[in-house]
Amino acid sequence: MKRTSWRDYEKEIADDHYYYARSCIRQNFFPGSETTFLRIMRDVLGKDIYDDPRHTSCTGIGYHTDIVPLDTTMAVVARQFALMTEAGYENMAISCITSFGLYTEILETWHEFPETEARARENLFKATGREFKKPANLAHTSDLVFHNREAIAAQAVRKLENAVTGEPLNVVEHIGCHYAKIFPKSGIGGSEFPYVLAGMVDEWGGRVVDYPERRHCCGFGFRNYLVQANRGFSIANSRKKLESMAPYRPDFMVANCPGCAMFLDKWQYAIAEMENVTYGADGRGIPVLTYEEMAGLVLGYDPWEMGMQMHQVDVEPLLARMGVAYDPSGKFLGRAGKYIGAPETAVVNSFTGDRIYRIKA
Amino acid sequence: MNAVNFGYMISVARGIDLDRNDLTSARELGDEMPEFRACIACGGCTATCTAGNLTSFNFRMVQTLVRRGEYAGAYREMNKCMLCGKCRLVCPRGINTRGVVMLIKRKLGDY
Amino acid sequence: MENLTFYHGFVVPFVVGTSVLFAVIFYKYVRWFTRLPRRDRQKVRRGIFSFATVRAVWECFTECLLHRRIWRVNPLLGYMHTSFALGWFLLIVVGWLETTAYLGGRFVPLQGHIFFKFFTTGLEHGPRWGIDFEAVMDLLLLYVLSGLALALFKRIRSRALGMRRTTRLTFGDRVALGSLWFIFPMRLLAESITSGLFGSGGFLTGSLGGLLAPVATQGLELAAWWGYSIALGVFFVAMPFSRYMHIFTEVPLIFLRRWGLRSEVREKSFDHFQIEACSRCGLCLDPCQMQRDAGLEQVQSVYFVRDRRYNRLTRRVADTCMMCGRCEERCPVGLELNTLRLNSRHALRNTPANDRYAYARNRDTSSGGGRTGYFAGCMTLLSPRILKAMESIFAAVGEEVWWADRSGGVCCGRPLKLSGEVDAAREMMKINAEMFSKQEITTLVTSCPICLKVFREDYVLPGIEVVHHSEYIERLLGEGRIGLTPGTERFTYHDPCELGRGCGIYKPPREIVRRVGTLVEPAETGREAMCCGSSIAGNGLDKNAVGKMGVAVGRAFEQTGAGSVVTACPLCKKAIARNTSLPVADIAEIVERHLVPAK
Amino acid sequence: MQAALSLAADGLKPVIVERSGAVGGKLRDWHRLFPTMTPAQEVLEEMAGRLEHAGVEVMLHTEVEGIGSKGVTLAEGKTLDAAAVIVASGFDIFDARLKEEYGYHVYDNVYTTVDIERMLNKGHVALHDGSAPRRIAFVHCVGSRDEKVNQRHCSKVCCITGVKQAMEMRELFPEAEIYNFYMDIRMFGPGYEELYQQAQQESGINFIRGRVSEASPTIDGRIQIKAEDTLVGRPMKMTVDMLVLIVGMKAAGGNERLAASCKGVTLAPSGFVAPKDMFAGSVETGAPGVFTAGAATAPKTIGESIAEGAMAAEKVVEYLKKAK
């Protein structure tokens, strides 16, 4: 990406000593990604990051589906801050975009309406007896990876390139809506052209695809997915993005939001099953990676160790293209090498028909 | 075609996608009857419409949609028209609106 | 005399041609007759022994032979057609008499009659039965030749014969026309040479034969007879495929029509008789305003009928017509041109009704009540002055009125019908008819001639008399229920197509106008009145064409010198008002202006 | 008037030939002028005063028959010698009765903008029965942009007139609901768009994008109008107490006579006098010595007409210099 306007939205990111807040979705659907993140932070970059088993969900999903009232949410978030304060940290690294957005929103609300902060402090104290300091620095974990992208590149074993032709891989980056669309200043590059993922891709040798529906939501939309009757709308949004990016023949997508990574991946499966349409140039689905997985591949980590078998769209074709050596038989081995069983074949991974999404011009 | 029933269908986009809409028919309609393109969307036709008085038929909207390549349902809608010709009398652009109805029905209908 | 033979090689083309002609005609007629729908066949059975048959014979004489209607258009043109038809007919009849007179009752094959002169050179000449047949036949031949001369002249200057435009011919027509032109000169030549060689002939062939005698040889004689026979043969073969098919078809058409057969909104076998009875004379071209004022070509009735006959009718041709009926008025064969056009539209595009107007059912928005109903019609709703005038008139006579559609109604169905969507139109008619029959009305007044026409033609409304508001007003005047103050204003009146030619209502509006002022008629009026150009049937016409015709109509009224234009149709009113600086009013409006309340 | 003033200032002897009993044309009927709400009288009086001061000769009640080779032919065969002529005969107001479906002169409470100006001048705006309207609707483009009455052109000033009058109505009837039905709103002049916004925002005028198709009477003597709210895509109807038709400008009826009498003067298809060209020759005609000013050539505002008057005068001076 040739744009440099992202520099107008420089964001301060703390260098070290983070309190780590995990993501509900990621722990369930991409547990390997968070592990990989910690591994990179600690082993590759030598940072201090505290992974606290006591912290809870931020209630973001409940909040955005109008189930959890704002006061409750504030109290829960206040508790996370209290845990951070108690653990002696003042920089918060948040794994989830929804949480990141919510924390940012709450801090802004407290700033604009101090009485709400007072009430949250009071509620927290009444309920738990805890007190807290507001974080000095609030960053999404993709911000941290972005911040350290050059250090990671220095230790990379491969680039985001086609191992045979040496051509850079076409990468579609997708930023979670709540990363910077609510508060542009909270994201690297603002809300129009967030640079957080594109910066990594640029640094690690890939080519960022700039396609028409780049800023469009993945379709998760909380209520739109959670109510079955609305799911058609959710999936239609993903399809809109997929149709828009397909002509660029992306090698993979990378997302920094738990929901986005999950839905861009899983809706491809659903669309293929329902309508027999796939969007990858090879007739299969387009793999969707988290930025940690992308970084892990660059650093030469084993894909199965990073949990990439959890993807709905198989990543093997991508691994082959990148020249990643991996053990095909190791894909479905669980703890202690125990075979956990392979899923049934899906249209999105075994496409043989002729209904690849018609690519115009 | 639905191999798997997930209990929902992919919603059809509400937006008009001029990249994807096949405008051939719209173009042909205009070529056959250039005044078809002269509409300034004043809505006089719809307001005076005898059929529109009794049902939801909206001539201006349907023919505009046709010009945008949104053909679905145009034939069915146009069939609500009684061809009475009031619209032709009020049209400030003098468009042969009845001719437009017949033309759309012919081009986009199944007869 | 006994050893007369009636055979020679040159008769072959004639015999072949005649055989083909009769075979084709026989095939066509049998086919068309057997395919007539049952009710039409019944009408034939009933009509055949009625007085209608006698009338048909008389009509065949006056029209097929004398071409009376063409004489009315232009005497020269009438003379031309009569000379061909009657002249040729008499040549055949008198020729047959001549043969009989000379040869007695003996059998003579067809070619013997036709080529009588050639085969009977050995006969003694002179009058028989006291008639100089040679002179009579020469006179008849001269008669036909004079017609031919006019026909040639018409090709060059049609205007002299009262026609500004003539029909463009098809290939078959050209072949037939070419051979037709040769027949009579060749006959003259052949008979003259024979006369020259054998010293016979009347005043024409005899004297021409005398002139040719020095150069005439037997070879030349035979060549001329060959030429004559070939011309006849070619003409007869081309005839059933060309416009000359009308010569024969007009006869059965006249009979069928006298027996009550008519074309309908759906195509049927009877249409063939109408279509092939068209001689493509082109008389329908000049009255056509689309031709005259809008410059639209090749769509007029003659071309429409031609295209339909040869199965190459396009939608454009079927649709580009206002169905004003001016051509129908002119047609010498009396073809139902509007109905044929209508059933072609039906055939080209009738779409299934599919219950598509279900939404309009049981949506009665009428108001009021009483024995008299008033149906404004869609167009009147856009002309509130007419509506208001009618209101005043009803009020003046104290009539209690049921207002069928003042706050919007359902279209009468005529526009749909005129567009060929007959099934859908019927559905709509049913909706209105049902609504009418629920009321107590005995009279239904409408201001719209379009509605009037369809109410009278297609609606079954037992116990309800449908009248146009001009008729209604005239009736009120007649009964003395309203009075009108006389005035000095000069009005000109426009006959709406659907009211005049459509429903035959010419007098009532004129009577009304005369009661309130002076009436000046435009150049074309009554049966020949112009169409305003906005006809509801003209949905194949673009705005430019409509505009041009409208300008011409406006001009025609301005030329009358009248102070204002009166008409009796809301659609005509709008169309004319747009194209003239004169004030334009509906008949009801001027009545309102001069209204004297009931005594 | 401005042309005469400029000519007089240049030392020439202009004569104004006026059909009616006073100079000023239609301006005399207007109440206040958009977009500044300046009273029309102010503009008129100021100019008339200057005219009097300059001693310009004015022939009132004088009909012009045509332009001959020597000058202007007047009624009764008289000729007024003139070295050059400026045609400033303006426009005619569209006869709203031709749009019968709107019910002008059919229903009591249908007015034109001209009627409203006159009522404003009289200082008494009211319904036919003298009461105050509670709901007023303005219909734009009556006799403009309408092929059905052979008026294809845009009359330019009606949009802003409609906005202006709607605001005046608001002043008079603070409680009334006021609607403007339009096809397009063309706010081309300085301050116009601002006035439009003010009408929306401060005067609370409702603007509905849809052409009124017909008007019909209601049982209580009000008027029901039908239009499509095209932005919503649904037909609508409403009953109003007062319907104001914003009438357009029609080419002056005398234009044809003028063109017939003077070789070189031609008319545009719209019936207005065709200028020599649209740019530098906009006040000249095809006939040497014949110039135009104001709405004789196209719909114009008062300001534009005055500017053209000055320009025409300048062209006359130039022409006369060349002629010598």
Side-chain angles (χ1 to χ4, degrees):
Chain A
M1 190 162 84
K2 297 286 178 283
R3 277 181 239 275
T4 53
S5 54
W6 65 273
R7 288 181 201 281
D8 298 343
Y9 291 90
E10 289 279 14
K11 172 179 176 178
E12 200 191 318
I13 298 166
D15 264 329
D16 206 349
H17 311 295
Y18 312 99
Y19 180 83
Y20 190 41
R22 284 186 178 244
S23 149
C24 308
I25 290 180
R26 281 158 68 90
Q27 283 178 78
N28 284 292
F29 293 94
F30 315 99
S33 288
E34 294 194 332
T35 315
T36 305
F37 173 73
L38 292 174
R39 182 172 161 196
I40 292 171
M41 292 307 283
R42 289 176 180 151
D43 301 355
V44 178
L45 304 168
K47 307 285 186 192
D48 165 33
I49 183 156
Y50 180 60
D51 184 17
D52 187 352
R54 290 175 301 167
H55 89 84
T56 64
S57 164
C58 69
T59 77
I61 292 174
Y63 170 64
H64 288 298
T65 40
D66 287 351
I67 295 169
V68 178
L70 180 57
D71 275 333
T72 311
T73 298
M74 279 186 181
V76 171
V77 170
R79 179 175 172 271
Q80 327 280 45
F81 291 156
L83 293 175
M84 176 189 76
T85 312
E86 286 164 20
Y89 288 85
E90 53 181 15
N91 302 327
M92 195 146 200
I94 304 162
S95 177
C96 171
I97 288 290
T98 303
S99 304
F100 175 71
L102 190 59
Y103 286 28
T104 312
E105 182 185 335
I106 287 175
L107 288 175
E108 286 287 331
T109 310
W110 287 349
H111 176 72
E112 295 288 334
F113 307 98
E115 69 277 11
T116 56
E117 181 182 344
R119 204 162 63 229
R121 283 183 186 281
E122 194 187 325
N123 289 341
L124 178 69
F125 190 79
K126 274 185 192 160
T128 65
R130 293 179 198 273
E131 286 179 73
F132 66 91
K133 274 197 263 174
K134 285 193 274 189
N137 185 283
L138 191 73
H140 185 252
T141 46
S142 61
D143 290 335
L144 300 188
V145 176
F146 173 83
H147 192 63
N148 295 297
R149 63 192 189 282
E150 283 154 11
I152 292 170
Q155 297 193 42
V157 300
R158 66 171 66 83
K159 288 183 152 191
L160 296 173
E161 284 175 354
N162 185 314
V164 180
T165 62
E167 281 283 305
L169 293 177
N170 289 327
V171 185
V172 160
E173 49 88 62
H174 178 82
I175 310 289
C177 292
H178 292 184
Y179 173 68
K181 278 184 190 163
I182 305 173
F183 299 104
K185 282 282 178 197
S186 69
I188 290 160
S191 60
E192 293 299 320
F193 297 103
Y195 192 60
V196 57
L197 294 177
M200 297 177 207
V201 175
D202 282 347
E203 188 67 36
W204 301 337
R207 182 162 56 207
V208 175
V209 170
D210 197 1
Y211 63 107
E213 296 294 355
R214 187 170 170 184
R215 279 177 287 278
H216 198 81
C217 168
C218 71
F220 175 21
F222 301 96
R223 256 181 308 192
N224 291 304
Y225 171 74
L226 293 168
V227 178
Q228 192 189 30
N230 293 346
R231 257 172 229 175
F233 177 60
S234 170
I235 193 169
N237 279 284
S238 284
R239 178 165 71 175
K240 187 174 190 168
K241 282 189 77 76
L242 290 164
E243 284 175 356
S244 174
M245 70 177 74
Y248 298 85
R249 300 170 173 271
D251 291 290
F252 68 93
M253 289 179 244
V254 59
N256 69 344
C257 168
C260 304
M262 174 173 161
F263 282 96
L264 287 173
D265 188 31
K266 299 199 180 343
W267 281 147
Q268 289 194 67
Y269 159 80
I271 292 169
E273 294 296 323
M274 287 163 87
E275 303 201 325
N276 264 332
V277 176
T278 54
Y279 295 92
D282 58 358
R284 303 178 187 215
I286 305 167
V288 185
L289 273 52
T290 63
Y291 51 93
E292 292 100 332
E293 287 168 348
M294 179 168 76
L297 289 179
V298 166
L299 290 167
Y301 292 179
D302 179 72
W304 309 146
E305 267 178 45
M306 290 195 286
M308 290 179 82
Q309 58 274 64
M310 295 294 285
H311 290 229
Q312 196 81 49
V313 178
D314 286 347
V315 292
E316 283 92 331
L318 172 67
L319 299 178
R321 222 168 296 151
M322 290 180 73
V324 176
Y326 66 96
D327 174 13
S329 63
K331 184 170 181 184
F332 297 112
L333 295 184
R335 263 194 181 180
K338 189 184 163 204
Y339 180 65
I340 55 169
E344 279 181 50
T345 50
V347 176
V348 77
N349 287 324
S350 58
F351 193 79
T352 50
D354 56 354
R355 287 185 52 91
I356 303 176
Y357 174 69
R358 189 165 40 88
I359 292 171
K360 265 196 176 181
Chain B
M1 196 168 81
N2 259 16
V4 180
N5 183 0
F6 289 97
Y8 53 88
M9 300 287 291
I10 304 174
S11 308
V12 179
R14 232 182 110 260
I16 296 172
D17 187 349
L18 286 185
D19 291 340
R20 195 182 297 176
N21 284 3
D22 181 3
L23 294 172
T24 322
S25 289
R27 213 172 296 124
E28 285 169 1
L29 284 163
D31 289 346
E32 198 163 318
M33 193 189 236
E35 36 185 275
F36 177 46
R37 300 184 177 127
C39 175
I40 46 172
C42 73
C45 47
T46 300
T48 198
C49 182
T50 305
N53 194 28
L54 302 167
T55 185
S56 60
F57 174 55
N58 183 330
F59 174 70
R60 179 196 60 76
M61 182 117 83
V62 177
Q63 62 90 14
T64 310
L65 284 171
V66 167
R67 281 188 285 147
R68 307 281 184 267
E70 296 280 315
Y71 310 123
Y75 174 71
R76 206 186 56 238
E77 280 298 307
M78 285 304 186
N79 254 347
K80 291 181 183 165
C81 166
M82 299 183 180
L83 286 180
C84 73
K86 269 176 97 184
C87 45
R88 193 173 182 178
L89 274 192
V90 301
C91 177
R93 280 286 166 98
I95 298 168
N96 178 0
T97 47
R98 303 169 74 246
V100 170
V101 174
M102 299 305 284
L103 189 61
I104 288 178
K105 292 213 300 187
R106 200 177 83 214
K107 276 265 176 193
L108 304 177
D110 43 10
Y111 73 103
Chain C
M1 173 166 164
E2 278 67 34
N3 48 12
L4 280 179
T5 53
F6 293 105
Y7 181 74
H8 189 281
F10 76 76
V11 303
V12 171
F14 165 74
V15 173
V16 170
T18 318
S19 312
V20 170
L21 171 65
F22 284 111
V24 173
I25 288 184
F26 182 75
Y27 169 76
K28 283 194 176 188
Y29 286 2
V30 167
R31 212 172 123 94
W32 298 345
F33 267 108
T34 51
R35 291 186 175 198
L36 282 179
R38 176 192 290 264
R39 56 184 189 287
D40 280 359
R41 285 206 302 267
Q42 263 171 5
K43 281 183 187 163
V44 172
R45 270 198 295 278
R46 252 182 255 137
I48 204 157
F49 296 114
S50 69
F51 187 63
T53 309
V54 181
R55 301 237 298 253
V57 172
W58 174 245
E59 192 186 337
C60 283
F61 176 67
T62 56
E63 288 308 325
C64 302
L65 293 178
L66 297 185
H67 287 98
R68 208 169 42 117
R69 291 198 199 110
I70 303 184
W71 279 84
R72 272 193 228 137
V73 176
N74 181 290
L76 268 184
L77 198 65
Y79 176 83
M80 184 190 106
H81 283 84
T82 314
S83 69
F84 273 108
L86 185 64
W88 202 355
F89 178 72
L90 286 177
L91 271 177
I92 295 167
V93 174
V94 176
W96 181 78
L97 285 174
E98 185 186 24
T99 322
T100 318
Y102 278 94
L103 302 178
R106 102 174 241 195
F107 169 76
V108 178
L110 194 60
Q111 69 268 26
H113 291 280
I114 303 299
F115 306 114
F116 186 69
K117 278 269 164 67
F118 178 83
F119 291 117
T120 59
T121 45
L123 286 181
E124 194 184 322
H125 298 284
R128 289 287 194 283
W129 303 348
I131 300 169
D132 184 349
F133 276 105
E134 283 185 319
V136 173
M137 290 296 276
D138 273 7
L139 190 66
L140 290 174
L141 184 58
L142 188 64
Y143 181 40
V144 176
L145 284 170
S146 67
L148 180 65
L150 267 179
L152 288 168
F153 180 60
K154 176 180 152 230
R155 286 281 134 197
I156 311 161
R157 280 199 51 143
S158 63
R159 223 168 248 269
L161 280 79
M163 285 178 75
R164 255 173 285 172
R165 286 178 197 84
T166 54
T167 323
R168 288 196 208 157
L169 300 178
T170 64
F171 175 72
D173 288 348
R174 279 179 203 284
V175 172
L177 183 70
S179 51
L180 178 62
W181 281 355
F182 273 101
I183 289 174
F184 296 99
M186 283 314 290
R187 175 173 179 150
L188 176 66
L189 193 64
E191 291 190 349
S192 298
I193 295 175
T194 304
S195 301
L197 285 175
F198 298 93
S200 60
F203 67 90
L204 185 65
T205 48
S207 42
L208 188 61
L211 285 175
L212 291 171
V215 291
T217 61
Q218 285 229 307
L220 209 59
E221 185 203 12
L222 265 184
W225 284 103
W226 265 103
Y228 179 39
S229 175
I230 289 171
L232 279 170
V234 170
F235 179 66
F236 287 155
V237 171
M239 199 166 147
F241 305 105
S242 71
R243 59 181 185 154
Y244 298 101
M245 182 67 188
H246 82 94
I247 296 174
F248 289 104
T249 315
E250 207 180 333
V251 177
L253 174 66
I254 287 172
F255 280 90
L256 291 174
R257 203 155 51 195
R258 286 284 174 184
W259 294 332
L261 269 66
R262 295 283 180 277
S263 282
E264 294 168 25
V265 285
R266 287 180 170 74
E267 291 183 346
K268 61 177 188 179
S269 188
F270 174 64
D271 298 350
H272 288 294
F273 288 101
Q274 299 225 38
I275 285 165
E276 303 220 355
C278 171
S279 64
R280 270 171 248 158
C281 63
L283 284 178
C284 52
L285 294 174
D286 283 344
C288 182
Q289 288 166 253
M290 297 190 302
Q291 170 100 293
R292 185 172 78 184
D293 302 324
L296 293 169
E297 307 247 353
Q298 296 277 320
V299 294
Q300 284 70 22
S301 288
V302 55
Y303 300 114
F304 159 73
V305 171
R306 176 196 69 191
D307 289 356
R308 182 157 159 192
R309 177 176 168 187
Y310 297 116
N311 276 324
R312 54 177 205 215
L313 184 63
T314 56
R315 278 209 176 85
R316 192 184 85 87
V317 172
D319 281 350
T320 313
C321 174
M322 306 185 291
M323 295 202 195
C324 65
R326 278 160 59 93
C327 54
E328 208 173 87
E329 284 297 327
R330 273 290 176 93
C331 179
V333 194
L335 300 180
E336 297 171 78
L337 297 167
N338 274 355
T339 314
L340 290 172
R341 180 91 66 161
L342 182 57
N343 67 31
S344 280
R345 287 187 182 181
H346 168 267
L348 284 172
R349 78 142 67 91
N350 187 43
T351 50
N354 282 344
D355 208 20
R356 65 167 104 139
Y357 299 113
Y359 64 81
R361 242 174 255 140
N362 303 318
R363 297 287 293 272
D364 194 337
T365 51
S366 63
S367 54
R371 312 295 283 176
T372 304
Y374 178 74
F375 190 89
C378 303
M379 299 304 176
T380 311
L381 293 177
L382 284 178
S383 316
R385 265 199 285 265
I386 302 180
L387 211 59
K388 207 176 152 226
M390 285 310 294
E391 221 173 337
S392 312
I393 294 166
F394 285 133
V397 293
E399 191 92 76
E400 218 189 313
V401 181
W402 171 67
W403 301 90
D405 60 345
R406 204 159 45 163
S407 38
V410 172
C411 172
C412 63
R414 179 128 177 102
L416 267 172
K417 182 184 169 185
L418 290 176
S419 309
E421 302 216 9
V422 175
D423 293 336
R426 194 139 297 158
E427 203 182 332
M428 196 159 288
M429 294 171 192
K430 229 164 63 193
I431 295 172
N432 275 323
E434 257 168 38
M435 182 175 74
F436 296 158
S437 61
K438 276 185 204 150
Q439 299 299 321
E440 308 246 291
I441 53 170
T442 52
T443 310
L444 182 64
V445 183
T446 179
S447 294
C448 177
I450 303 162
C451 305
L452 178 74
K453 169 101 173 147
V454 76
F455 287 159
R456 288 192 174 169
E457 202 175 272
D458 294 297
Y459 279 57
V460 184
L461 299 169
I464 301 175
E465 188 202 9
V466 185
V467 293
H468 186 247
H469 69 315
S470 63
E471 293 177 302
Y472 176 75
I473 295 167
E474 199 205 19
R475 202 172 291 176
L476 295 179
L477 285 168
E479 291 165 0
R481 294 174 71 191
I482 51 168
L484 296 176
T485 52
T488 51
E489 208 178 331
R490 281 162 68 81
F491 296 105
T492 180
Y493 175 69
H494 167 74
D495 284 292
C497 302
E498 297 272 61
L499 192 68
R501 285 179 293 264
C503 295
I505 299 174
Y506 297 101
K507 228 183 75 225
R510 287 185 166 77
E511 286 300 312
I512 298 168
V513 172
R514 288 203 191 95
R515 298 278 288 263
V516 297
T518 322
L519 176 66
V520 248
E521 297 279 1
E524 293 173 292
T525 187
R527 298 197 152 291
E528 298 194 332
M530 288 172 94
C531 171
C532 68
S534 284
S535 166
I536 205 89
N539 50 17
L541 292 165
D542 63 9
K543 60 179 184 181
N544 294 331
V546 172
K548 282 181 193 159
M549 289 186 281
V551 168
V553 173
R555 206 182 304 125
F557 287 117
E558 282 173 6
Q559 279 163 359
T560 61
S564 67
V565 185
V566 180
T567 186
C569 168
L571 194 55
C572 296
K573 182 185 160 191
K574 292 241 173 206
I576 298 168
R578 187 187 158 189
N579 290 298
T580 176
S581 53
L582 298 176
V584 183
D586 187 87
I587 191 91
E589 293 170 46
I590 60 162
V591 168
E592 187 197 23
R593 263 180 247 156
H594 292 264
L595 197 61
V596 183
K599 279 157 230 158
Chain D
M1 280 200 267
Q2 178 58 50
L5 283 170
S6 302
L7 288 172
D10 276 318
L12 296 168
K13 272 195 72 186
V15 181
I16 295 178
V17 186
E18 169 63 46
R19 176 169 52 180
S20 71
V23 291
K26 309 246 178 343
L27 184 58
R28 288 187 296 135
D29 277 339
W30 299 165
H31 179 59
R32 285 189 291 175
L33 304 180
F34 56 78
T36 50
M37 298 286 184
T38 310
Q41 212 52 34
E42 227 171 69
V43 178
L44 192 62
E45 273 167 12
E46 195 259 354
M47 288 195 71
R50 277 166 59 202
L51 210 59
E52 212 181 321
H53 184 76
V56 174
E57 184 190 344
V58 180
M59 301 170 71
L60 295 176
H61 301 294
T62 313
E63 189 87 29
V64 174
E65 283 295 321
I67 299 174
S69 51
K70 280 195 167 165
V72 183
T73 322
L74 304 179
E76 295 140 29
K78 281 184 282 186
T79 307
L80 178 70
D81 287 344
V85 182
I86 296 174
V87 179
S89 50
F91 63 97
D92 282 353
I93 284 160
F94 174 75
D95 180 1
R97 282 176 304 179
L98 285 173
K99 290 298 287 178
E100 192 183 329
E101 56 267 42
Y102 292 155
Y104 186 59
H105 282 193
V106 181
Y107 313 130
D108 286 337
N109 290 313
V110 183
Y111 302 91
T112 65
T113 35
V114 180
D115 299 333
I116 298 295
E117 288 296 325
R118 288 193 187 127
M119 284 158 94
L120 286 166
N121 267 340
K122 276 194 207 135
H124 181 65
V125 182
L127 294 176
H128 188 71
D129 63 2
S131 65
R134 281 159 298 142
R135 218 180 206 190
I136 306 165
F138 284 83
V139 183
H140 286 244
C141 294
V142 177
S144 305
R145 304 176 69 200
D146 188 352
E147 300 210 0
K148 287 292 144 63
V149 287
N150 283 347
Q151 289 272 97
R152 278 160 211 232
H153 59 272
C154 166
S155 297
K156 196 173 176 178
V157 301
C158 345
C159 281
I160 179 72
T161 304
V163 168
K164 182 205 79 150
Q165 288 197 356
M167 294 173 76
E168 289 174 309
M169 288 297 182
R170 166 61 67 235
E171 284 174 24
L172 289 170
F173 310 110
E175 296 305 317
E177 284 176 49
I178 304 172
Y179 294 86
N180 277 40
F181 288 87
Y182 67 96
M183 304 202 289
D184 292 303
I185 290 266
R186 300 181 168 180
M187 290 291 147
F188 62 95
Y192 291 13
E193 183 65 27
E194 290 87 333
L195 197 72
Y196 177 27
Q197 198 182 337
Q198 199 185 329
Q200 291 174 291
Q201 216 167 302
E202 281 147 44
S203 305
I205 314 288
N206 302 289
F207 286 85
I208 298 177
R209 193 190 174 284
R211 187 177 177 81
V212 172
S213 69
E214 61 206 280
S216 19
T218 61
I219 193 140
D220 53 355
R222 299 169 78 208
I223 303 145
Q224 189 181 73
I225 51 175
K226 284 188 191 166
E228 187 202 354
D229 191 327
T230 59
L231 300 182
V232 179
R234 279 163 59 188
M236 68 184 298
K237 56 182 176 185
M238 70 184 300
T239 304
V240 298
D241 301 308
M242 180 186 247
L243 186 64
V244 185
L245 308 178
I246 307 179
V247 286
M249 293 189 186
K250 196 173 179 306
N255 285 359
E256 279 183 34
R257 211 176 354 151
L258 172 72
S261 71
C262 182
K263 199 166 159 283
V265 176
T266 53
L267 302 185
S270 59
F272 286 95
V273 177
K276 198 170 122 200
D277 70 56
M278 292 286 187
F279 312 101
S282 65
V283 296
E284 294 167 65
T285 66
V290 180
F291 302 86
T292 61
T297 48
K300 286 193 186 76
T301 66
I302 287 159
E304 286 166 346
S305 299
I306 292 174
E308 274 199 359
M311 185 173 171
E314 188 193 310
K315 288 277 180 187
V316 167
V317 173
E318 205 175 281
Y319 166 78
L320 292 179
K321 262 189 205 150
K322 255 191 217 154
K324 271 175 202 165

